Amino acid sequence: MKRQIIYFFLFIILISCSKDSAINNNNPFLPNYPVDLTINLNLPEYNNLQFVSNSVYINNGAAGIRGVFVFNAGSNNYVAFDAACPNQALSSCSTMTINGIKAVCACDNAEYSFFTGQAPDKQYPMKQYRVQQVNATTLRVYN
């Protein structure tokens, strides 16, 4: 009987774990909008993504709350974050801008790292999206 109880608890723990837990954050300031973007790295507007530590801002109909930042983190690793300030209610100042390897929120001047999505002393990280490298020239950003 003890063995069955142990197996039951191990099963519950395994079910509750998810490799995407950082992507599925529950931020009360940011609604969950569907995101599904295809990025052709050969197009001039995405040329910056060919180089490590560069990012682009995409703002079209399927690009999250306030647009999406896509960042080349090196070693064929790309990350994507929503451009909405994660620790501010949506307002006229809550669209972040790119400053090198950081995103800056105009509401409070917080600087969020594109490597981690975190800002010092802030409760919520940037809202992250999944990035799939479809082939050598195509990325898919989705949630």
Side-chain angles (χ1 to χ4, degrees):
M1 183 68 175
K2 286 183 182 181
R3 189 176 273 171
Q4 290 175 334
I5 292 172
I6 291 172
Y7 288 136
F8 175 75
F9 283 114
L10 286 174
F11 178 74
I12 296 297
I13 290 170
L14 288 174
I15 289 176
S16 64
C17 295
S18 170
K19 70 177 184 173
D20 293 328
S21 60
I23 292 173
N24 296 324
N25 60 16
N26 292 319
N27 184 326
F29 297 115
L30 303 179
N32 290 317
Y33 291 159
V35 173
D36 197 356
L37 304 170
T38 300
I39 299 170
N40 181 344
L41 297 173
N42 288 329
L43 294 176
E45 59 261 39
Y46 305 122
N47 189 50
N48 278 351
L49 291 177
Q50 300 288 339
F51 307 101
V52 175
S53 296
N54 280 342
S55 57
V56 296
Y57 173 64
I58 302 168
N59 189 16
N60 64 33
I65 303 163
R66 293 289 173 97
V68 173
F69 297 125
V70 180
F71 179 73
N72 182 339
S75 301
N76 288 322
N77 184 30
Y78 297 88
V79 293
F81 298 100
D82 203 284
C85 296
N87 290 284
Q88 302 290 327
L90 295 177
S91 68
S92 61
C93 68
S94 64
T95 302
M96 295 192 286
T97 57
I98 297 172
N99 185 10
I101 60 171
K102 296 181 180 182
V104 180
C105 178
C107 298
D108 59 7
N109 292 320
E111 294 184 339
Y112 295 82
S113 168
F114 282 131
F115 288 102
T116 65
Q118 302 281 335
D121 302 320
K122 292 296 180 181
Q123 181 177 3
Y124 297 106
M126 289 193 294
K127 184 178 187 76
Q128 187 170 5
Y129 299 114
R130 293 173 180 90
V131 179
Q132 173 188 13
Q133 188 157 5
V134 177
N135 56 43
T137 61
T138 307
L139 299 177
R140 179 177 175 228
V141 177
Y142 64 101
N143 57 357

